[in-house]
Amino acid sequence: MSNPVRPGSFSTFFAEGQYETQTEMLEVVEKSRKLTIGIPLETTLQENRVAIVPNSIRILKGYGHDVLVESGAGKSSSFTDRDYTEAEAEVTKSKKKVYESHIIIKTQPPTLDEIDLMQVGQILVSPMPLPIISKEYIEKLQKKKVYAIAMEHIQSEDGSYPIVRMMSEIAGMVAMLTGAQLLTKSSGGRGVLLGGISGVPPAKVVILGAGVVGEHATRTALGLGASVRIFDNDIYKLMRLQNKVGRPLHTSALNPVYLGYQLLSADVVIGAIHSKNGRAPVIVTEEMVAKMKDGAVIIDVSIDQGGCFETSEVSTLKNPTFIKHGVIHYCVPNIASNVGRTASISISNIITPIILKLSNSQDIGRLLFNDVGIRSGVYIFQGKLTNEYLAKRYDLKYTDLNLILTSGL
């Protein structure tokens, strides 16, 4: 009788090549290099996510890599230190030791103090939220001569941004569920059930933006039985949304007169306007908000780009709402962090294969040359700033990454 498999001892199962068709080969396959991956505890912006979850660590261990996790890193997303230990990661209370790893992976940018702990030539994979970083932040990373990769700018083969898409899907669903909760009397709302019941009409939801956030807010609102209105100036997006949902929807271009009319009777308004560069445009003026019903709810998902409501102000998960003109405002930037466990698993699923790509390449320059998806996320290459927007914004020297890579090959 064979011995039963011990819980947690799965690393051999996920050994390199486990899922590949095994063929007879004469050539020698170059082994991937062994890396140490560091997962620090997040300490800013009430972050509840962790970049790598225990199940992904089992895969990394199967490929021969070591993983250092700062104690408590997964606590806010409901992963205990024991979960990580059973996945064969090393859990340590020393942040300094974690920052001695080859690769650092974070769900928030490192603080200035954390950058001081980083090593020369290290690889950093983290978000690059423009409102948070500063000129000093960039210059410190440059002095460390790191390779900094913005996870939200990493592209998949079809040209989409998987991290952004997954977080947008979550944000759309969470925004709608939050709106439904805030309508209840105990949350300060009008005591309205979003979907209504027999003989009682449903609540009216207005969604600004027909992108990924708007799509999943729409799906959630319809699933709960709400009456939905969607606004966007991109008619193609409105058509695509209707096709994806599979039913006729009440849609409109962003006509301020008609929008103002719809806002008068709206119970929940979701702002999901995205700007490719810089600040999100203000779509709803303070005058429009002042005319809305008392106890109505505004969820501004665009707040991480400044907000699309004139009355919006940044709030936090600890103090998520405030009232202006009798309207409840919810303006939390990291809204996906409110479902930290789901968001963490999603991020980990996307980041883990990228780490394996980095480990399979003996030369990061050659990898970036051949992989446009990862290359699109690089904003600092061995101390050189390769993001033109950041260079112009902070008056720093810009170096074209393509020229660096071609000259080095």
Side-chain angles (χ1 to χ4, degrees), residues 38-52 70 73 76 95 98-99 103-115 118 123-134 137 141 148-152 163 167 303-304 314-317 332-338 340 343-344 347-348 351 379:
I39 314 296
L41 169 67
E42 301 292 351
T43 58
T44 59
L45 296 177
Q46 299 174 20
E47 179 59 76
N48 294 323
R49 297 168 294 182
V50 64
I52 301 292
E70 186 176 356
S76 294
K95 187 180 289 288
V98 172
Y99 274 91
I103 301 178
I104 298 296
I105 309 176
K106 291 175 53 65
T107 53
Q108 287 293 336
T111 64
L112 295 178
D113 289 339
E114 287 172 329
I115 293 175
M118 294 181 67
I123 298 174
L124 169 68
V125 182
S126 72
M128 187 187 67
L130 296 178
I132 297 174
I133 64 174
S134 62
Y137 170 92
L141 284 178
I149 303 173
M151 61 169 61
E152 73 272 29
I163 293 284
M167 293 305 104
I303 192 65
D304 59 348
V314 176
S315 58
T316 66
L317 288 174
V332 177
N334 53 335
I335 189 170
S337 188
N338 210 19
S344 296
I347 292 172
S348 188
I351 293 297
Y379 62 99

Side-chain angles (χ1 to χ4, degrees), residues 1-247:
M1 176 181 285
S2 59
N3 294 327
V5 178
R6 290 188 300 106
S9 60
F10 298 110
S11 25
T12 53
F13 178 80
F14 289 104
E16 188 168 359
Q18 176 72 28
Y19 300 117
E20 299 173 3
T21 303
Q22 301 299 309
T23 57
E24 184 178 357
M25 294 183 296
L26 296 178
E27 68 271 19
V28 176
V29 179
E30 184 179 31
K31 295 292 290 182
S32 61
R33 55 187 175 134
K34 182 176 181 178
L35 297 174
T36 303
I37 298 109
I39 314 296
L41 169 67
E42 301 292 351
T43 58
T44 59
L45 296 177
Q46 299 174 20
E47 179 59 76
N48 294 323
R49 297 168 294 182
V50 64
I52 301 292
V53 301
N55 282 347
S56 293
I57 287 177
R58 292 186 173 100
I59 299 174
L60 295 171
K61 290 293 292 184
Y63 277 75
H65 305 307
D66 292 327
V67 183
L68 277 171
V69 179
E70 186 176 356
S71 180
K75 182 179 179 180
S76 294
S77 49
S78 301
F79 294 108
T80 65
D81 286 350
R82 182 175 179 178
D83 291 332
Y84 282 101
T85 302
E86 290 181 347
E88 301 183 37
E90 179 184 345
V91 177
T92 175
K93 292 185 178 181
S94 171
K95 187 180 289 288
K96 182 177 182 294
K97 186 174 181 181
V98 172
Y99 274 91
E100 291 172 353
S101 306
H102 296 108
I103 301 178
I104 298 296
I105 309 176
K106 291 175 53 65
T107 53
Q108 287 293 336
T111 64
L112 295 178
D113 289 339
E114 287 172 329
I115 293 175
D116 288 336
L117 296 175
M118 294 181 67
Q119 310 298 306
V120 173
Q122 210 164 36
I123 298 174
L124 169 68
V125 182
S126 72
M128 187 187 67
L130 296 178
I132 297 174
I133 64 174
S134 62
K135 183 175 183 178
E136 184 183 3
Y137 170 92
I138 296 170
E139 289 177 334
K140 275 201 166 192
L141 284 178
Q142 287 182 288
K143 288 178 181 178
K144 291 288 185 176
K145 296 189 180 298
V146 301
Y147 302 90
I149 303 173
M151 61 169 61
E152 73 272 29
H153 290 289
I154 295 173
Q155 289 180 291
S156 55
E157 291 183 1
D158 63 357
S160 64
Y161 299 89
I163 293 284
V164 173
R165 179 170 184 86
M166 296 308 297
M167 293 305 104
S168 296
E169 288 186 14
I170 293 172
M173 298 175 71
V174 171
M176 198 64 257
L177 294 173
T178 301
Q181 177 62 35
L182 291 175
L183 281 178
T184 62
K185 197 66 179 177
S186 61
S187 298
R190 304 178 67 240
V192 175
L193 183 64
L194 193 71
I197 57 170
S198 301
V200 181
K204 180 176 176 180
V205 174
V206 173
I207 298 174
L208 309 177
V212 178
V213 175
E215 176 192 339
H216 284 78
T218 299
R219 289 180 183 275
T220 306
L222 292 173
L224 293 171
S227 174
V228 185
R229 313 284 190 272
I230 304 113
F231 287 80
D232 199 300
N233 271 338
D234 190 329
I235 304 303
Y236 169 73
K237 283 186 177 181
L238 295 172
M239 293 169 58
R240 183 184 63 186
L241 179 55
Q242 290 201 114
N243 289 333
K244 284 192 171 185
V245 172
R247 58 182 281 186

Side-chain angles (χ1 to χ4, degrees), residues 230-364:
I230 304 113
F231 287 80
D232 199 300
N233 271 338
D234 190 329
I235 304 303
Y236 169 73
K237 283 186 177 181
L238 295 172
M239 293 169 58
R240 183 184 63 186
L241 179 55
Q242 290 201 114
N243 289 333
K244 284 192 171 185
V245 172
R247 58 182 281 186
L249 299 170
H250 186 129
T251 62
S252 172
L254 278 166
N255 182 307
V257 176
Y258 186 60
L259 174 59
Y261 168 73
Q262 290 294 332
L263 291 176
L264 292 174
S265 55
D267 294 294
V268 178
V269 185
I270 306 289
I273 301 294
H274 177 72
S275 173
K276 291 183 178 180
N277 294 301
R279 195 194 192 286
V282 174
I283 304 298
V284 179
T285 64
E286 185 166 358
E287 183 182 359
M288 291 179 177
V289 174
K291 292 179 180 179
M292 291 176 63
K293 296 185 293 189
D294 285 348
V297 176
I298 284 174
I299 311 286
D300 196 346
V301 185
S302 303
I303 192 65
D304 59 348
Q305 289 189 320
C308 61
F309 297 84
E310 193 174 10
T311 51
S312 288
E313 296 176 5
V314 176
S315 58
T316 66
L317 288 174
K318 285 187 177 179
N319 298 291
T321 61
F322 58 90
I323 297 175
K324 277 190 179 180
H325 302 295
V327 178
I328 301 170
H329 289 62
Y330 183 98
C331 306
V332 177
N334 53 335
I335 189 170
S337 188
N338 210 19
V339 285
R341 188 178 178 92
T342 297
S344 296
I345 295 171
S346 175
I347 292 172
S348 188
N349 288 342
I350 296 168
I351 293 297
T352 301
I354 293 171
I355 297 172
L356 296 179
K357 282 186 178 181
L358 292 170
S359 70
N360 285 331
S361 174
Q362 300 297 323
D363 181 356
I364 188 172

